[in-house]
Amino acid sequence: MASSSSSSSALYRISNLQNHISPLEATNKLRSLVKISPQVSEALSNGRAVVALESTIISHGMPYPQNLQTAKEVESIVRENGAVPATIAILNGVPCIGLNEEELERLASLGKSVQKTAGRDIAYVVATRGNGATTVSATLFFASMVGIQVFVTGGIGGVHRHANQTMDISSDLTALGRTPIAVISAGVKSILDIPKTLEYLETQEVYVAAYKSDEFPAFFTEKSGCKPPSRVDSPEDYANKKLNRQAGILFAVPIPKQHSAAGNLIESATQRALTEAREQNVTGNAETPFLLARVNELTGGTSLAANCGSPFSANVSYLINLKLKLDSGL
Ligand code: PSU
Ligand code: MN
C-alpha cells in the first residue's frame, strides 16, 4: 500500500490537528479575540436588552455621509427605546461588538474599501488583521457568541433572481437556520426573489412572520403578493408561538406608508440594473453593492432615501414591545 501511505499520513496530520483543539476551546479562543464595548458588556451582564446591528449596510449599502447619519440614527432609536445598540464590525482584525463614535465614523468613511464579511470570511479578515463589515450571517455569528437575542436590519440576503442559473443564495439564510436569534427586518433585499427566499427559509426551518400584515413585505413596498407562513400582531403573539427551537426567527415589518410610494419606480429600476449586472458579468458578493448603487442612480436618489428611512423607523414600536418582553424573560 506504498502508494496510499503519503495520503494517509496527510490524513493523520489533519485529524490530529482537528483533535488538537476541542470545539469548546475553539469557541473560547474566538471569544477572547472579541472586543465588547463597555456599554454592551454592562448591559449583557445586567440582563438588559441589547440589539445587534450589522455593518455591511453602512459600508456597502449607502454612501458616506448618509451611511454614518443612518447608523447613528438607528443607534439612537434603539437607545430611545431603552435598549443598548451593538453595531458589529471587525476593525484591524478585532471583531468589535458595539462601536464607539470614532469607530463608527471610521467604518462609515472607509466605505467599500472595508471587506464585506459574511460568515465564511470571518477567519480570513481576522487572520489578516483586516477591516470587515459584517453581513447578516457574520453578525448573527458574533451576536449569538455573546448572547444577544435580537438583531435589527433593513433587508436580509436571500435567494437571488436567476439563482437557478447562478446558485446565488445568501448564507444569511443558512445562518438564520442555525442561530436562535430574532431578526427584525423590512423583508429581504429588494433585488431578490421573494418566493424562492421564503421557500429556502422553510428548508432552513426558520420561523417567518409578517408583522401586522397578511402579506410578506417587499422592502420598498408593503406588499409582495406572497403570503407569509404566519402573522404576528403583538409580542404576546410571538411569545405564544416561540417554542425554544435552536433556529432563527424572521419578523418582516412592512415599510411605513410615506416611504412606499416610490416602490414601482424602484422595481423597474431594479429590473434594469439586474439586466446590466448580467451583461457586465457582475456576480457573487459584488452583485448587491452594484445593484443598489445603480438603482439609486436610476431613481435619482429615491431608493437611497427609502432605504435610510424605512427599515429602522418601521421597527421602533416593535422594538419597544420586544424589549419589554425580553426584559421580562420571555
Ligand atoms: N441591504 C442593503 N445593503 C446591503 C445589505 C443589505 O440595503 O449591503 C447586505 C446585508 O449585510 C446582507 C448582505 O446580509 O447584504 C447579503 O449579501 P449577499 O447577498 O452577498 O449574501
Ligand atoms: Mn451571494
Side-chain angles (χ1 to χ4, degrees):
M1 298 286 280
S3 65
S4 68
S5 70
S6 66
S7 66
S8 63
S9 74
L11 253 185
Y12 173 76
R13 281 201 306 273
I14 291 168
S15 58
N16 208 20
L17 197 73
Q18 280 169 343
N19 291 338
H20 193 64
I21 179 163
S22 72
L24 183 66
E25 281 173 317
T27 309
N28 284 339
K29 188 156 181 256
L30 204 52
R31 203 171 276 160
S32 72
L33 299 174
V34 165
K35 187 181 117 194
I36 308 181
S37 77
Q39 290 90 333
V40 172
S41 171
E42 195 244 19
L44 286 171
S45 44
N46 293 331
R48 283 184 61 202
V50 177
V51 175
L53 299 162
E54 59 146 310
S55 47
T56 297
I57 184 131
I58 304 173
S59 63
H60 287 66
M62 298 170 196
Y64 185 81
Q66 283 103 321
N67 59 354
L68 179 64
Q69 196 189 328
T70 307
K72 283 184 172 168
E73 239 166 65
V74 172
E75 289 206 348
S76 64
I77 291 171
V78 173
R79 282 196 196 94
E80 278 159 26
N81 287 283
V84 174
T87 300
I88 295 178
I90 303 173
L91 294 173
N92 298 327
V94 180
C96 301
I97 322 288
L99 303 184
N100 61 32
E101 237 180 86
E102 183 248 320
E103 291 165 334
L104 203 58
E105 164 80 46
R106 205 161 106 213
L107 182 84
S109 56
L110 284 170
K112 287 183 187 169
S113 67
V114 172
Q115 159 117 31
K116 174 176 169 181
T117 309
R120 66 158 189 202
D121 307 308
I122 293 171
Y124 174 78
V125 176
V126 170
T128 55
R129 304 197 200 292
N131 293 316
T134 52
T135 66
V136 170
S137 65
T139 307
L140 279 170
F141 175 79
F142 289 118
S144 93
M145 183 200 275
V146 300
I148 299 174
Q149 300 177 58
V150 185
F151 171 8
V152 178
T153 188
I156 67 162
V159 180
H160 285 243
R161 304 185 200 186
H162 311 287
N164 44 340
Q165 287 142 33
T166 60
M167 284 285 280
D168 194 348
I169 299 173
S170 176
S171 60
D172 290 357
L173 304 183
T174 42
L176 255 172
R178 61 168 181 265
T179 317
I181 287 184
V183 175
I184 302 164
S185 80
V188 300
K189 289 189 300 192
S190 58
I191 54 173
L192 301 174
D193 185 318
I194 297 176
K196 286 197 183 84
T197 302
L198 289 172
E199 288 296 341
Y200 202 82
L201 285 164
E202 182 198 338
T203 307
Q204 295 299 317
E205 302 187 37
V206 175
Y207 172 72
V208 177
Y211 183 58
K212 290 190 175 163
S213 175
D214 292 318
E215 272 199 41
F216 191 81
F219 194 80
F220 285 122
T221 55
E222 297 156 274
K223 294 187 188 319
S224 65
C226 297
K227 209 176 144 31
S230 68
R231 164 185 173 133
V232 289
D233 286 275
S234 68
E236 287 76 15
D237 232 11
Y238 153 63
N240 288 339
K241 286 171 181 158
K242 189 178 150 197
L243 285 171
N244 259 337
R245 296 176 58 252
Q246 289 302 301
I249 299 169
L250 177 64
F251 292 110
V253 183
I255 187 169
K257 271 206 169 50
Q258 70 268 27
H259 292 293
S260 68
N264 291 338
L265 173 76
I266 294 170
E267 175 54 29
S268 52
T270 303
Q271 308 263 8
R272 189 166 148 197
L274 276 162
T275 310
E276 291 178 7
R278 293 286 92 74
E279 285 165 2
Q280 295 174 37
N281 212 12
V282 180
T283 56
N285 69 358
E287 186 172 285
T288 297
F290 173 88
L291 292 175
L292 293 177
R294 191 68 188 115
V295 169
N296 193 45
E297 269 169 34
L298 290 169
T299 60
T302 307
S303 68
L304 179 63
N307 200 358
C308 297
S310 73
F312 305 111
S313 45
N315 295 324
V316 171
S317 65
Y318 194 72
L319 274 173
I320 300 172
N321 290 317
L322 197 56
K323 177 211 159 265
L324 295 176
K325 287 293 150 188
L326 288 172
D327 281 355
S328 62
L330 277 172

